[in-house]
Structure formats: structure tokens, C-alpha cells
Amino acid sequence: MKKKSKGWFWFVVVIVFLVFFWSKVTSFKDGESIFTRDTFHILASTSTRMMNSDLKKFAKKNKIDLEIDYYGDLEIVKILNDSSKNYDAVWLSNSLWLYQLDNTNLASDSKSIVMNPVVMGIKKSKAQELGLIGRDIYNKDLLNAIQSGKLKYIMSSVTKTNTGATTYLNFLNNLAGSPEVLTEEMLNDANLKTNLKNFFQGVERVSGDEEYLKEMFLNGDYDALISYESSLIELNQELESKKRESLYLIYPIDGVAINDMPFAYINNDLKDEENKKKFLKLQDYLRSDEVKTKMENMGYRSWYGGINKDANKKVFNPSWGIDTTKYLKDMKYPSKKVISKAIAIYIEELRKPTHVVFCLDVSGSMQGSGISELKDAMSYILNYETASIDNLQFSKDDKISIITFNSDVKQVYETRHGNETIDVIKDINSLVASGGTNIYDSSIKALEILEKESNDAYTKTVILMTDGESNHGTFNSLKKYYQNHKLNIPIYAITFGDSNEYELRSIVNLTNAKIFDGKSGLKKAFTEVRSYN
């Protein structure tokens, strides 16, 4: 009898637990993920990461179970358009992206947190040489310096990053005459296209994310870069700590792109009043004097459309070209339709052409699923239609070379027009895996191909994919070739299978590049690295 009572007791405990658990969990239709209603999920731009610790401390203090996922702004738009149900709030770099959502009512209660202009930072000696110090500067002045070949710069991807996209839209709007409303018809103006094409001819390197751009600059030898004001302030602090030349920030008086970093609520059907209270509490904290002071000390502006004579001069250093008493003219962003067309025109006509060399490992260890996955990934990235879905397509002016290697360089396939890839896709689909691995000689071959190009005609990139340790060739031979020829060509590496990351780390360090993880999916890795060229 006692045993039976105990059994019933534990049965009731289990039932109560399951009811409690079910009340805390919401499961979505069509196999979407499950999340607890008690957890507040923020989808945030990587540009807001500096507040991660403070925001989580505040949430914990106020008994809010907080989770934050970080992505690039353009990727956030895609995530919310595909499915917003896993998130309760969104924190973006620019309100522009709220208007790119398919459902215009999805985000509400949006308020700006801080301001962060996107500007060009130029080595002070170079800015002095170009006559850009001590006078009012217009966007046309920068264009003239670039067009004359006197100014080159690095920037983040127009198609993948907020800074790249807003830089482009600002120059587009300004060179179109800063109209009240930028229309699709204006985008077809031949003179406008010529000016924009000349502007992008000054690009030396492209970064697929804003965070890596700073690292690229520090490890390279470049005269200028375009980035957030806060990032350039942080970069200058680091440069001066290393006794290196600081950058002079340029604020054209006829307009800059200003990011307002909005924090907005996501209106999902299942949200309740308690959830909204959590959002408002977090938003109020982000707009508080405490956070305002903290973020000002990191180089973010808390003022907009006015002046601030009391800004911290150690942060907003006047010797770096920063004048906090000057009014910054913001641009008016065009409609979603116009932006989409503008991006398409950029890819097809304005972007500086790229010549990319893919070095593909077809050694014996790639047999089976490895070679199949490689073929699928390359077919996706080279197919104009499929790549266009993610704005990754090559244009007619791009060049693509493909080197296959095992113990030695095997084949070289090429197309002189990036939108004509049917034949190279066929060549890739006929690949057979065999032999050993030689990442060094194939990398040298790739550099030899790119050296033949004019320095100014193309951005030049090598993408090396391997699944194993190199058992032929030597790093020293590659290093000697690279240094003797005084090259500035990045070799990006994609890891796969049992690839030796130490060997790849040596190559990317030598060439001021980075490693991408292809072990969890080659298609994803190739998609990521594509935005770096």
C-alpha cells in the first residue's frame, strides 16, 4: 500500500513538472525552434556589441533572462524577413534597415540610442598633402583626390555591411545633387555612374565585416579607410599607443551617413504585456544618462543635429579632425525599391572589378562527400542566378581563375567574364580526388596569375581551400616569393576536414588575410569569403 502511494506521489510530481514546463515553453509551427517565454531575445547588430556586458548586467539586476544574438545589419533584415518569432527586440546600426523589412509593422516603438557617423579617416600626412586640413571639405573633394590617383582606401562590403552600404548611398545621394527624393530614374544618369565608378576605383581592399576592417588596416600599409567614427577613434587611440601615425577624420559639409542605432520591439503574435514591459525597461536603460556617458567615452555621440561644446576632448580629439561644435548634415535615405536597384547597379556596373583565384584541394582525402560538397559549394557561388539571391554574383567585368591541386598544381580553369561560368562549373563538376596535398605551390601559382594584372584595374584575391596537411612544398618558398615580389594580395583560407590550421594561419598572417571555417559547411564558408573580394 505504501509503495502504491509513493508511486502516485511521484506520478503527480512529474505531471506538475510537465505542466509547469509546458507553460514556460512555446513551440512554433513548421519545425521552428523552441524558446522560453521567460527569456527575452534580442537580435543585435555587431556594431552594438560594446554594450553586451552592461546590458546583461542590467537585465540580471532587473530579473530579465536576456539572450543576445549578433549579426551584420543586412543579415538581420534577412533573418527577420524569414522568421521573426525567435526574437523580442532588434538593435540595429541604422533605422534605414527597419524600412527594408517585408512586414513594415513588424518593428515598433523604435528609438535611437546614440549617433555614429560613417566617415573617411586618412593618415594625417596624406590629408595634409592633399590639402584636406583646415578648410571645408565636400564629397566632391574626396572624389577628385581618388579620381586623380592620389588617394586610395579600404572599406567594408557594400552588399554585406552597414558601413559599406550607407557609404555608397551617401555618395550616391550626394553626387546625384542631394535631391529631396532619390528616384529610380536618377540612378540611370550616365554622369552619376561615371563619378561613382571613379570613387570605387580607389578601393584597395574590401572587408566582409566591419570588425575585421580595423585589423586589416593595422596589419597592412594603407593611407585611408572608411568606417564608423567610433571605430576610427578607437583605431587612432591604438595607433598612437603604438607610436604610429594617426588618422585625420573627414566630415564633408554637404552630407555624411549618420547611424542612429535604433532599438525596436518586435510585434509577434505571441508577445504579451509583460514582454513589452521588459522591452521598455531595457530601452529606457539604453537611453539613460548612465549609458549616454559610457558610450560617449567610447566615441559615440549622444547629440544629433546640434552642437556639443562639452564633449570629451580626449575621445573626440580635435587634432584628429573632430569638431563636436559643427553641425553634421545627414542624408535622407531613398525607398526600399530604389535601394535594391542601387545595390544591383553597384554590383553590375560600379564596383571595382575583382580577379579572384580559387585554389581547390582535390587530394585523395577529398574522395566521397568532400569532393561532392566542394562541387556543390562552387556551383552555388559561381552560378549567377543562385549567387544573386544573396548579392554574391560576379559581374561581367570580374575575372575568375580556378586552380586545382593535389601533390602539384593540376589544372587552371579561367573565365574572363564573371557572369559566364557555365564551362568552369562543368570543369569543377568533373573533378576527381586523388594524390597528396601541396598548398604552397598552388598559392604561388595563384599569385603569379594575379601579378599579371594591372595594380589598379582589379582588386585581387586568392581563396585557398584545403582539407588536409600539406605534405609537399614549403611555407618558406611561398614566403620568399611573396616578400621578394613585394605583394599586397590576400590569401584567404577555408578549413575543411582535417586541414592543418597552423599552416593556414602562417599563410593568412603573411598576406594580411583571415581563415574561414568550412568544417560546418563549405557553402557557408565560400559565401562568407566571397564578400571579401
Side-chain angles (χ1 to χ4, degrees):
M1 198 69 185
K2 266 187 174 180
K3 284 183 182 178
K4 192 173 179 183
S5 302
K6 262 188 182 176
W8 274 105
F9 171 77
W10 286 113
F11 177 76
V12 171
V13 168
V14 169
I15 293 297
V16 169
F17 171 78
L18 288 174
V19 170
F20 175 78
F21 176 78
W22 187 255
S23 72
K24 295 290 181 184
V25 175
T26 302
S27 177
F28 294 112
K29 298 175 185 176
D30 304 322
E32 292 180 22
S33 61
I34 295 174
F35 75 96
T36 64
R37 281 189 175 180
D38 281 353
T39 303
F40 194 91
H41 293 250
I42 298 176
L43 183 58
S45 166
T46 52
S47 67
T48 70
R49 203 191 294 269
M50 71 289 173
M51 285 301 296
N52 180 291
S53 177
D54 294 88
L55 196 54
K56 286 192 171 179
K57 281 179 185 175
F58 173 82
K60 187 175 182 181
K61 185 179 177 181
N62 287 271
K63 296 181 172 53
I64 299 172
D65 183 13
L66 183 65
E67 291 291 337
I68 309 174
D69 292 341
Y70 291 98
Y71 293 92
D73 293 85
L74 280 73
E75 195 170 1
I76 286 175
V77 172
K78 189 175 187 303
I79 290 169
L80 292 179
N81 282 337
D82 289 344
S83 176
S84 63
K85 291 184 177 179
N86 286 354
Y87 296 99
D88 302 290
V90 59
W91 192 6
L92 291 158
S93 299
N94 196 307
S95 292
L96 154 73
W97 304 115
L98 293 175
Y99 300 105
Q100 306 308 302
L101 296 173
D102 293 338
N103 178 2
T104 55
N105 297 316
L106 180 63
S108 69
D109 299 270
S110 174
K111 286 185 180 179
S112 299
I113 305 303
V114 284
M115 305 299 147
N116 205 7
V118 176
V119 294
M120 180 178 283
I122 307 174
K123 283 182 179 176
K124 200 165 186 178
S125 59
K126 188 70 175 180
Q128 191 78 56
E129 176 194 320
L130 294 171
L132 299 175
I133 296 178
R135 67 182 181 91
D136 287 339
I137 302 299
Y138 295 80
N139 283 289
K140 194 79 172 177
D141 293 321
L142 294 177
L143 175 62
N144 290 339
I146 294 165
Q147 199 168 350
S148 67
K150 295 177 181 177
L151 178 62
K152 296 186 183 302
Y153 60 95
I154 62 175
M155 68 178 293
S156 298
S157 168
V158 168
T159 59
K160 291 296 168 187
T161 69
N162 174 67
T163 54
T166 53
T167 293
Y168 167 48
L169 293 172
N170 177 62
F171 267 89
L172 168 60
N173 187 73
N174 187 271
L175 296 174
S178 300
E180 184 64 29
V181 179
L182 189 68
T183 65
E184 286 189 81
E185 289 72 29
M186 292 176 185
L187 300 179
N188 296 321
D189 182 81
N191 187 54
L192 174 61
K193 287 182 179 180
T194 299
N195 283 334
L196 286 166
K197 195 166 186 176
N198 287 335
F199 173 73
F200 288 114
Q201 276 301 118
V203 175
E204 289 191 276
R205 288 274 301 271
V206 174
S207 173
D209 69 81
E210 284 114 343
E211 293 173 325
Y212 179 66
L213 185 70
K214 187 181 83 166
E215 186 179 333
M216 184 189 290
F217 184 86
L218 286 169
N219 294 332
D221 183 19
Y222 305 103
D223 284 334
L225 75 162
I226 298 174
S227 189
Y228 295 117
E229 179 184 53
S230 61
S231 295
L232 294 173
I233 288 171
E234 183 182 21
L235 180 55
N236 265 350
Q237 291 168 340
E238 189 164 351
L239 287 169
E240 291 196 348
S241 72
K242 295 179 177 179
K243 309 298 182 188
R244 290 173 58 180
E245 184 177 9
S246 60
L247 299 165
Y248 192 84
L249 279 55
I250 305 295
Y251 300 81
I253 63 170
D254 51 344
V256 297
I258 300 179
N259 293 283
D260 60 337
M261 301 184 73
F263 187 66
Y265 186 64
I266 296 177
N267 293 303
N268 286 322
D269 295 338
L270 294 170
K271 299 300 163 61
D272 53 31
E273 197 174 318
E274 207 52 45
N275 214 55
K276 187 66 169 287
K277 286 179 182 177
K278 292 177 184 177
F279 163 79
L280 292 173
K281 190 171 283 189
L282 292 168
Q283 189 181 66
D284 286 345
Y285 169 69
L286 289 173
R287 289 170 58 83
S288 67
D289 288 342
E290 175 192 344
V291 171
K292 180 182 79 170
T293 301
K294 186 177 186 67
M295 294 189 76
E296 273 188 30
N297 289 331
M298 291 190 287
Y300 295 84
R301 297 180 180 232
S302 59
W303 61 96
Y304 181 74
I307 62 174
N308 188 334
K309 295 178 181 178
D310 303 318
N312 186 337
K313 295 295 189 292
K314 288 182 179 179
V315 177
F316 297 94
N317 191 333
S319 70
W320 298 338
I322 306 173
D323 185 348
T324 58
T325 67
K326 267 191 175 180
Y327 179 85
L328 294 181
K329 184 181 177 183
D330 195 6
M331 68 164 289
K332 184 178 180 181
Y333 291 101
S335 67
K336 179 180 179 180
K337 190 176 181 183
V338 172
I339 289 175
S340 295
K341 182 172 181 180
I343 295 293
I345 290 174
Y346 165 78
I347 295 170
E348 299 295 341
E349 301 179 51
L350 308 177
R351 179 172 56 86
K352 186 175 180 178
T354 183
H355 187 167
V356 58
V357 182
F358 292 93
C359 294
L360 306 180
D361 186 345
V362 292
S363 59
S365 55
M366 286 290 289
Q367 280 183 352
S369 61
I371 197 74
S372 296
E373 192 173 342
L374 174 61
K375 290 175 182 179
D376 288 344
M378 287 299 294
S379 293
Y380 167 78
I381 211 73
L382 295 179
N383 184 295
Y384 185 87
E385 298 301 325
T386 57
S388 296
I389 296 169
D390 294 315
N391 288 326
L392 296 169
Q393 72 270 30
F394 287 94
S395 77
K396 65 182 186 301
D397 296 323
D398 295 328
K399 289 184 183 179
I400 303 167
S401 301
I402 295 164
I403 296 173
T404 59
F405 69 91
N406 49 25
S407 305
D408 299 291
V409 172
K410 291 195 66 176
Q411 295 288 336
V412 178
Y413 307 104
E414 293 185 300
T415 175
R416 300 186 68 81
H417 301 286
N419 60 345
E420 298 174 3
T421 56
I422 293 174
D423 290 338
V424 290
I425 289 174
K426 285 180 181 176
D427 291 329
I428 289 169
N429 285 333
S430 67
L431 294 176
V432 176
S434 65
T437 306
N438 186 345
I439 62 176
Y440 302 113
D441 288 351
S442 57
S443 296
I444 292 172
K445 179 65 177 177
L447 295 172
E448 288 174 346
I449 291 171
L450 293 177
E451 272 191 286
K452 295 174 185 176
E453 295 290 3
S454 163
N455 283 334
D456 294 328
Y458 296 87
T459 56
K460 294 176 277 192
T461 307
V462 179
I463 298 173
L464 168 66
M465 192 289 301
T466 183
D467 83 324
E469 187 171 344
S470 191
N471 46 32
H472 294 79
T474 65
F475 172 70
N476 284 337
S477 63
L478 172 61
K479 182 179 179 181
K480 184 178 178 181
Y481 183 91
Y482 197 86
Q483 293 178 340
N484 286 350
H485 288 248
K486 298 178 180 177
L487 298 178
N488 182 24
I489 300 172
I491 300 177
Y492 292 105
I494 296 177
T495 59
F496 189 66
D498 296 321
S499 54
N500 186 321
E501 192 160 322
Y502 175 78
E503 289 182 322
L504 297 178
R505 181 66 58 194
S506 299
I507 293 175
V508 300
N509 287 344
L510 172 69
T511 66
N512 192 13
K514 65 183 293 189
I515 294 176
F516 296 84
D517 181 12
K519 295 179 182 181
S520 56
L522 274 180
K523 180 179 171 182
K524 182 176 182 291
F526 275 109
T527 299
E528 287 178 354
V529 76
R530 175 70 184 94
S531 62
Y532 285 73
N533 55 82

